[in-house]
Amino acid sequence: MNNQHLIHIGTFGKPLGLNGEVKIIMHTFNFDSFKSLSPYLTCDGKTFWNFNQLNIYGSMLVGILQNCNTRNCAEKLNGKKIFIDKNNLPKTKKEYFYISLINCVVMTSNNKLLGNIINIDNFGAGDLINIKNSNGKSFYIPMNKDNIVKVDINRRLVIVNPIKGMLD
């Protein structure tokens, strides 16, 4: 499978307990959407992550993989990414669509070029646009109404108005 068909929907975190339970950082809207997107794939797009359990505990997603029933096994998962094949995404309503912002150009509302989006990350507090500038330095801008002014997917352009001090 071509890696361009893969969509990153989660990342394994630290293990919990002794029986292979591991935290999962979701990059989906909610647990139900994450759970509905199987089959889950590794970064090669050929190997499957097979879960025995996926449960929500408070605001945390916890999973147990097949054949991974020890803490040592779960520790080896930390930081590994969970993907799906984009062809398995559910159909959307007419007025909704999926977009990929990777490689979009990012400019401020006063036409200053900031760089290109290299990833969308979420460390638990919300989605962040990871931008790489022309000097090769990367930085984050939160994806919220305070910072994102406009997304023009046809022009592959994102206009931002970062809060004061973010770019300093």
Side-chain angles (χ1 to χ4, degrees):
M1 175 184 300
N2 186 333
N3 283 0
Q4 293 178 358
H5 288 263
L6 297 179
I7 296 179
H8 179 205
I9 64 161
T11 304
F12 289 105
K14 294 182 179 182
L16 294 171
L18 303 174
N19 299 320
E21 295 174 310
V22 62
K23 293 179 187 178
I24 299 172
I25 301 163
M26 291 184 293
H27 302 305
T28 59
F29 181 68
N30 61 34
F31 172 65
D32 291 331
S33 62
F34 184 92
K35 200 170 180 178
S36 72
L37 292 174
S38 66
Y40 308 105
L41 302 165
T42 63
C43 62
D44 68 8
K46 298 174 186 170
T47 309
F48 294 90
W49 297 114
N50 294 309
F51 289 95
N52 285 338
Q53 287 183 9
L54 280 173
N55 297 306
I56 289 287
Y57 295 108
S59 62
M60 181 175 31
L61 176 60
V62 176
I64 300 176
L65 282 173
Q66 255 179 8
N67 302 320
C68 184
N69 55 8
T70 66
R71 183 174 182 87
N72 287 342
C73 179
E75 285 174 346
K76 292 175 185 174
L77 297 171
N78 193 3
K80 293 190 186 267
K81 295 180 179 182
I82 303 166
F83 295 91
I84 62 161
D85 181 338
K86 74 178 181 180
N87 295 322
N88 291 341
L89 287 170
K91 300 291 182 218
T92 62
K93 295 179 183 176
K94 185 176 181 179
E95 64 274 7
Y96 293 93
F97 54 95
Y98 296 111
I99 60 170
S100 174
L101 299 178
I102 307 300
N103 295 323
C104 283
V105 172
V106 180
M107 298 184 75
T108 64
S109 53
N110 56 1
N111 293 322
K112 179 181 175 190
L113 176 65
L114 296 180
N116 288 32
I117 297 174
I118 58 172
N119 206 9
I120 307 294
D121 291 312
N122 186 317
F123 302 105
D127 291 330
L128 301 167
I129 299 173
N130 189 349
I131 302 166
K132 190 173 193 177
N133 65 19
S134 61
N135 296 330
K137 184 177 178 182
S138 66
F139 58 95
Y140 289 101
I141 293 180
M143 280 188 77
N144 57 36
K145 292 179 184 178
D146 295 329
N147 294 300
I148 306 297
V149 174
K150 181 179 180 182
V151 175
D152 185 339
I153 201 63
N154 292 327
R155 292 177 50 206
R156 306 288 298 152
L157 176 67
V158 176
I159 307 294
V160 297
N161 189 20
I163 58 176
K164 188 173 180 156
M166 187 168 294
L167 300 178
D168 300 332

